Structure formats: structure tokens, C-alpha cells
Amino acid sequence: MVTLYRKDDLTGIELEGTGLSLDDMLSNGYTESYDEALAAANAMDASSSSPSASTDGTTTTRTQVYTLLPWLQKYGGADANTLVDSYVSGYNNSGGKAEFALAEMRFGKDSKDAYSRVFANIVDPNTGALKMSESEYISGLEKVLTTLTAYGLNGYASQNGKSAWARAVANNTSPESYAGRVKLIHDRVINRVDDELQNSIINSYNEYFTNETGTTVSMGQESLLALAIDPNISEDVLKGRLNASELGAVYTGTTGDALDLEAVQRLTGAGVTTNQSEKTFATASATAKALARMQRRQRRDVTLGKAMGVLEAQIFGDEAIASEIQYVTAQNLSGSSVQSGAAKSQTGSVIGLTQY
């Protein structure tokens, strides 16, 4: 097996499976000798720290790469910049050759770990070759997420969609085959089981998981399907992640905002279930929008424009937020503004909100 080194890549790249030719790699600064690459690296360190121009003046930047690979910023997460910076390095050091830029991003010493996290199981462990291109990998992930949401598994898709696709890739399962499997399980487990038996199974799961976690677990038909397609989902339920992810998906779909896991778990701990949450979140969102309009008219900073802020007051009894809501609504009834200094003293509580 041939391993190639370069002054900026002393970890080396195993040529097999990359699709690159030895001659091309050698012509772009790589060598089969580690000592030769190390000597070049030491010489580079001893020279001026100013970056040198590429052989033909062709270079790129992180911004340009994100324009070229727009999916990378969305799906790369915390690893996106690491991958892009390696791509930039490979591109600039090879005189603008995209194939070397991709090789650096995939196999370079600074990015190979990040690459394996973002594109889990894309590299065949037996041959070292890619099973598909990065764009095909992302396309497959999108299809898997679409399949899951089509069956009402929004929370599961959000929490486990990437790992589900990674397992499918590891098993050489296409997104179409995965979709067919989900449909088959849905038809056999859900459609062929009468409502009474389904409810009995769901109630048994809810009772068991509630006792195990110490918090209310309220699973529905969709959760039953998640348990059927993923035998490892029980651990997520026991750790509160399934309830939280489903509730978070409902919140985002209803309000347009996202919640972190801690906030969602607080809601589930307070007894908010997925069955009742859509109405609760919709009411809170409408209230928050009305409060935000009042604050703008009163020339205040808009601090009450999020549904979660309203829920903090309503469900968790946050006195500071509740007082702010009372002041804003009271001032709205008085028709005054902060800037004019005409706010009236108000006593008692404000029952509802007037929307304009």
C-alpha cells in the first residue's frame, strides 16, 4: 500500500481508494519518503511565515468554497470550517486542482476525523474507497429525513435521522430501500394492528417508561413506529430524548423557532405532552406576537416576542417575565408610551391581550 507525504501533510495519505494517480500526486508536491517531506516542512518553518502564492496563482477562500459546496455549511455543523479549510489548503497548494482539494478534505491529517463524523460510513472499510460522493450522501440523508417525516416521525428524524442514514450506508442500504422498509413496517405493525391493541401496547410502553424515567412519557402511534424501525430507540426514551425531540419538532413547526434540549426537557418535565402541545404553543406564539407589537408601539426593546418567554411565565411562573407582560399590557390599555412618560399606575392583573 502506497502512502504519500507532503510538507504540509506529514500524517500522509494512503493512495488506495482515493481515485488519484501516483504521478499526479507526485507532481503536486507529494513524496513517498516521509523524511523528504519532513525536511521540506522544517525548511518551510524556517522560512518567512508569509503565505506563498500557488504555482499558477490560482487560489480560493473559505467563502468561495461555501459557495461551491453550499450543503457543507448546513450539514457540516461544527466540523464545516475544518473541512472547508482543508479543501482550501489542498486547492491552493495544488494550483487550483479540485480533485486534490477533495482528497485533502477527505483524507488530510487535519480533517479526516471531521470528515468521518459528517459523512459517517461513506468510506468502505475494506477498500478505503468512497461508496458515493458527498452530494449523493447528503441527497440520501434528505430522502431518509423526508421518509421519516412523511410517517409523522419528525422528532425521531431530528434526533436520529443522521444516525439512521449512517447505519443504512454502513449496510449498503439505499435511501429507496430504507423508505420501503419503513413503509413495510408501518403497514405490518400499524395498519394491521387494531386500535384497541395499539392503545394497549402504547399504554404499556408509556407506563413502563414513565416508571423508569420518573417523568411522564406520552408516546403515540408514531413513537410505536419508531420503536419498530429502531430497536435502539428504547434508550432514547429512557433518557428522555424521544419525548424531547418530538416536542421540540412540534414547537418549531408551530412557532417557527427552535428550542434547545434543556428547554424542551423542562417542558416535558412540567407535563406538556405532544398531544396537547400544538395548541399550547400556538396560543403562546400568538400571545408573544401581540406583546411584541405592543412593545414596538411603546418604543420598548422587544423582549417578549418568543413563545417560550410566554411559556416561562405561564408554566414555570417566572415572576420577572410575568411582571413585564403585566406592565406592557397595562400600558397598552392606557395608550401611553415609555418615551412620552405617560404610563399610568396599574393595579391588579391583566387578564387578556388586545391584538390589533
Side-chain angles (χ1 to χ4, degrees):
M1 182 176 293
V2 177
T3 301
L4 299 177
Y5 306 92
R6 195 168 62 184
K7 61 184 178 181
D8 59 344
D9 187 6
L10 296 177
T11 302
I13 293 178
E14 293 180 353
L15 191 59
E16 184 176 352
T18 65
L20 301 171
S21 72
L22 177 61
D23 289 341
D24 284 343
M25 295 292 281
L26 294 176
S27 68
N28 280 276
Y30 280 90
T31 174
E32 295 181 64
S33 169
Y34 174 83
D35 291 337
E36 181 180 336
L38 179 61
N42 291 334
M44 179 176 64
D45 291 339
S47 65
S48 171
S49 60
S50 300
S52 59
S54 59
T55 55
D56 63 353
T58 302
T59 60
T60 190
T61 65
R62 180 188 290 180
T63 300
Q64 290 171 329
V65 173
Y66 276 134
T67 300
L68 178 66
L69 308 172
W71 43 264
L72 193 52
Q73 191 163 26
K74 177 180 178 181
Y75 292 99
D79 291 316
N81 285 345
T82 298
L83 296 180
V84 169
D85 289 345
S86 290
Y87 184 98
V88 170
S89 174
Y91 189 90
N92 293 345
N93 288 327
S94 66
K97 292 183 172 62
E99 61 269 27
F100 287 98
L102 285 171
E104 187 69 27
M105 183 182 76
R106 294 164 176 165
F107 308 109
K109 62 182 175 63
D110 295 327
S111 58
K112 59 182 179 181
D113 290 341
Y115 184 84
S116 67
R117 287 191 293 268
V118 176
F119 301 103
N121 300 324
I122 193 174
V123 178
D124 190 312
N126 297 319
T127 67
L130 296 185
K131 295 182 177 181
M132 62 192 75
S133 69
E134 289 82 4
S135 59
E136 289 170 336
Y137 188 97
I138 297 302
S139 176
L141 173 59
E142 286 283 6
K143 291 176 181 177
V144 166
L145 296 177
T146 298
T147 295
L148 294 172
T149 54
Y151 286 95
L153 297 175
N154 303 61
Y156 178 81
S158 175
Q159 182 69 33
N160 297 297
K162 286 187 177 181
S163 59
W165 173 232
R167 286 194 301 271
V169 173
N171 295 323
N172 298 316
T173 302
S174 70
E176 292 76 18
S177 295
Y178 182 87
R181 176 171 172 264
V182 173
K183 182 181 185 303
L184 180 64
I185 294 174
H186 176 271
D187 292 345
R188 289 184 175 179
V189 174
I190 304 300
N191 288 355
R192 295 188 182 182
V193 177
D194 62 56
D195 292 342
E196 183 177 354
L197 181 56
Q198 278 189 39
N199 290 333
S200 176
I201 295 172
I202 291 170
N203 289 337
S204 295
Y205 271 116
N206 285 338
E207 181 179 359
Y208 168 74
F209 287 126
T210 297
N211 290 335
E212 290 293 315
T213 62
T215 59
T216 301
V217 174
S218 179
M219 297 167 54
Q221 186 185 77
E222 295 80 8
S223 299
L224 191 60
L225 177 59
L227 286 162
I229 66 174
D230 186 351
N232 299 317
I233 199 66
S234 296
E235 181 183 355
D236 282 341
V237 179
L238 290 174
K239 292 182 178 179
R241 290 195 296 259
L242 182 63
N243 252 16
S245 60
E246 289 186 345
L247 199 67
V250 174
Y251 182 89
T252 300
T254 304
T255 70
D257 298 321
L259 284 183
D260 58 30
L261 181 59
E262 181 182 357
V264 179
Q265 288 178 328
R266 287 177 63 218
L267 288 170
T268 59
V272 178
T273 67
T274 53
N275 294 333
Q276 71 186 58
S277 61
E278 185 172 357
K279 181 178 179 180
T280 299
F281 295 157
T283 301
S285 180
T287 299
K289 291 176 182 177
L291 287 167
R293 288 196 295 271
M294 293 178 195
Q295 286 187 307
R296 283 192 290 269
R297 284 200 299 269
Q298 296 166 14
R299 301 182 186 180
R300 297 175 182 265
D301 292 335
V302 176
T303 58
L304 298 173
K306 300 292 184 181
M308 190 59 196
V310 175
L311 295 173
E312 289 283 359
Q314 293 178 342
I315 296 177
F316 302 108
D318 189 304
E319 294 183 1
I321 297 178
S323 295
E324 187 175 7
I325 291 174
Q326 182 175 346
Y327 295 148
V328 170
T329 53
Q331 188 174 322
N332 183 67
L333 293 175
S334 74
S336 59
S337 71
V338 171
Q339 187 173 13
S340 65
K344 297 178 181 179
S345 175
Q346 302 286 332
T347 58
S349 61
V350 178
I351 304 298
L353 298 175
T354 303
Q355 297 188 42
Y356 295 92

PDB file of all heavy atoms in Angstrom, residues 254-255 277-287 307:
ATOM      1  N   THR A 254     -44.792  24.822  14.951  1.00  0.00           N
ATOM      2  CA  THR A 254     -45.890  25.708  15.327  1.00  0.00           C
ATOM      3  C   THR A 254     -45.458  27.164  15.410  1.00  0.00           C
ATOM      4  O   THR A 254     -46.171  28.062  14.956  1.00  0.00           O
ATOM      5  CB  THR A 254     -46.481  25.284  16.692  1.00  0.00           C
ATOM      6  OG1 THR A 254     -46.892  23.921  16.623  1.00  0.00           O
ATOM      7  CG2 THR A 254     -47.676  26.151  17.061  1.00  0.00           C
ATOM      8  N   THR A 255     -44.263  27.406  15.967  1.00  0.00           N
ATOM      9  CA  THR A 255     -43.822  28.783  16.229  1.00  0.00           C
ATOM     10  C   THR A 255     -42.799  29.298  15.225  1.00  0.00           C
ATOM     11  O   THR A 255     -42.611  30.507  15.105  1.00  0.00           O
ATOM     12  CB  THR A 255     -43.210  28.897  17.628  1.00  0.00           C
ATOM     13  OG1 THR A 255     -41.952  28.194  17.660  1.00  0.00           O
ATOM     14  CG2 THR A 255     -44.148  28.324  18.684  1.00  0.00           C
ATOM     15  N   SER A 277     -49.508  19.809  22.973  1.00  0.00           N
ATOM     16  CA  SER A 277     -48.525  20.880  22.832  1.00  0.00           C
ATOM     17  C   SER A 277     -48.807  21.832  21.678  1.00  0.00           C
ATOM     18  O   SER A 277     -48.527  23.029  21.776  1.00  0.00           O
ATOM     19  CB  SER A 277     -47.129  20.277  22.664  1.00  0.00           C
ATOM     20  OG  SER A 277     -47.071  19.468  21.500  1.00  0.00           O
ATOM     21  N   GLU A 278     -49.348  21.338  20.571  1.00  0.00           N
ATOM     22  CA  GLU A 278     -49.544  22.216  19.413  1.00  0.00           C
ATOM     23  C   GLU A 278     -50.452  23.387  19.755  1.00  0.00           C
ATOM     24  O   GLU A 278     -50.157  24.545  19.422  1.00  0.00           O
ATOM     25  CB  GLU A 278     -50.106  21.430  18.233  1.00  0.00           C
ATOM     26  CG  GLU A 278     -50.215  22.264  16.951  1.00  0.00           C
ATOM     27  CD  GLU A 278     -50.578  21.434  15.738  1.00  0.00           C
ATOM     28  OE1 GLU A 278     -50.686  20.206  15.865  1.00  0.00           O
ATOM     29  OE2 GLU A 278     -50.752  22.034  14.664  1.00  0.00           O
ATOM     30  N   LYS A 279     -51.553  23.116  20.444  1.00  0.00           N
ATOM     31  CA  LYS A 279     -52.463  24.184  20.848  1.00  0.00           C
ATOM     32  C   LYS A 279     -51.796  25.119  21.847  1.00  0.00           C
ATOM     33  O   LYS A 279     -51.913  26.349  21.754  1.00  0.00           O
ATOM     34  CB  LYS A 279     -53.737  23.593  21.452  1.00  0.00           C
ATOM     35  CG  LYS A 279     -54.758  24.652  21.869  1.00  0.00           C
ATOM     36  CD  LYS A 279     -56.022  23.997  22.426  1.00  0.00           C
ATOM     37  CE  LYS A 279     -57.035  25.062  22.861  1.00  0.00           C
ATOM     38  NZ  LYS A 279     -58.264  24.436  23.412  1.00  0.00           N
ATOM     39  N   THR A 280     -51.060  24.534  22.804  1.00  0.00           N
ATOM     40  CA  THR A 280     -50.365  25.341  23.809  1.00  0.00           C
ATOM     41  C   THR A 280     -49.349  26.259  23.162  1.00  0.00           C
ATOM     42  O   THR A 280     -49.270  27.457  23.471  1.00  0.00           O
ATOM     43  CB  THR A 280     -49.646  24.423  24.818  1.00  0.00           C
ATOM     44  OG1 THR A 280     -50.618  23.599  25.478  1.00  0.00           O
ATOM     45  CG2 THR A 280     -48.882  25.234  25.857  1.00  0.00           C
ATOM     46  N   PHE A 281     -48.556  25.719  22.251  1.00  0.00           N
ATOM     47  CA  PHE A 281     -47.517  26.505  21.594  1.00  0.00           C
ATOM     48  C   PHE A 281     -48.121  27.567  20.674  1.00  0.00           C
ATOM     49  O   PHE A 281     -47.604  28.685  20.572  1.00  0.00           O
ATOM     50  CB  PHE A 281     -46.577  25.595  20.800  1.00  0.00           C
ATOM     51  CG  PHE A 281     -45.771  24.649  21.652  1.00  0.00           C
ATOM     52  CD1 PHE A 281     -45.258  23.476  21.111  1.00  0.00           C
ATOM     53  CD2 PHE A 281     -45.534  24.913  22.986  1.00  0.00           C
ATOM     54  CE1 PHE A 281     -44.519  22.601  21.884  1.00  0.00           C
ATOM     55  CE2 PHE A 281     -44.793  24.043  23.780  1.00  0.00           C
ATOM     56  CZ  PHE A 281     -44.290  22.884  23.223  1.00  0.00           C
ATOM     57  N   ALA A 282     -49.197  27.217  19.972  1.00  0.00           N
ATOM     58  CA  ALA A 282     -49.828  28.176  19.067  1.00  0.00           C
ATOM     59  C   ALA A 282     -50.380  29.370  19.850  1.00  0.00           C
ATOM     60  O   ALA A 282     -50.239  30.528  19.431  1.00  0.00           O
ATOM     61  CB  ALA A 282     -50.942  27.499  18.284  1.00  0.00           C
ATOM     62  N   THR A 283     -51.001  29.106  20.984  1.00  0.00           N
ATOM     63  CA  THR A 283     -51.542  30.183  21.820  1.00  0.00           C
ATOM     64  C   THR A 283     -50.413  31.062  22.343  1.00  0.00           C
ATOM     65  O   THR A 283     -50.507  32.294  22.326  1.00  0.00           O
ATOM     66  CB  THR A 283     -52.340  29.596  22.993  1.00  0.00           C
ATOM     67  OG1 THR A 283     -53.408  28.800  22.489  1.00  0.00           O
ATOM     68  CG2 THR A 283     -52.903  30.704  23.871  1.00  0.00           C
ATOM     69  N   ALA A 284     -49.336  30.423  22.817  1.00  0.00           N
ATOM     70  CA  ALA A 284     -48.199  31.187  23.333  1.00  0.00           C
ATOM     71  C   ALA A 284     -47.551  32.027  22.242  1.00  0.00           C
ATOM     72  O   ALA A 284     -47.136  33.170  22.470  1.00  0.00           O
ATOM     73  CB  ALA A 284     -47.174  30.240  23.940  1.00  0.00           C
ATOM     74  N   SER A 285     -47.478  31.477  21.031  1.00  0.00           N
ATOM     75  CA  SER A 285     -46.873  32.206  19.915  1.00  0.00           C
ATOM     76  C   SER A 285     -47.713  33.425  19.545  1.00  0.00           C
ATOM     77  O   SER A 285     -47.179  34.519  19.309  1.00  0.00           O
ATOM     78  CB  SER A 285     -46.734  31.281  18.706  1.00  0.00           C
ATOM     79  OG  SER A 285     -46.159  31.957  17.607  1.00  0.00           O
ATOM     80  N   ALA A 286     -49.027  33.250  19.494  1.00  0.00           N
ATOM     81  CA  ALA A 286     -49.912  34.380  19.181  1.00  0.00           C
ATOM     82  C   ALA A 286     -49.802  35.459  20.253  1.00  0.00           C
ATOM     83  O   ALA A 286     -49.786  36.661  19.954  1.00  0.00           O
ATOM     84  CB  ALA A 286     -51.353  33.895  19.063  1.00  0.00           C
ATOM     85  N   THR A 287     -49.723  35.032  21.510  1.00  0.00           N
ATOM     86  CA  THR A 287     -49.578  35.982  22.606  1.00  0.00           C
ATOM     87  C   THR A 287     -48.263  36.739  22.501  1.00  0.00           C
ATOM     88  O   THR A 287     -48.215  37.960  22.675  1.00  0.00           O
ATOM     89  CB  THR A 287     -49.636  35.245  23.960  1.00  0.00           C
ATOM     90  OG1 THR A 287     -50.900  34.593  24.083  1.00  0.00           O
ATOM     91  CG2 THR A 287     -49.463  36.214  25.112  1.00  0.00           C
ATOM     92  N   ALA A 307     -42.422  32.664  21.887  1.00  0.00           N
ATOM     93  CA  ALA A 307     -43.426  31.870  22.595  1.00  0.00           C
ATOM     94  C   ALA A 307     -42.877  31.297  23.894  1.00  0.00           C
ATOM     95  O   ALA A 307     -43.588  31.202  24.900  1.00  0.00           O
ATOM     96  CB  ALA A 307     -43.917  30.734  21.689  1.00  0.00           C
TER      97      ALA A 307
END
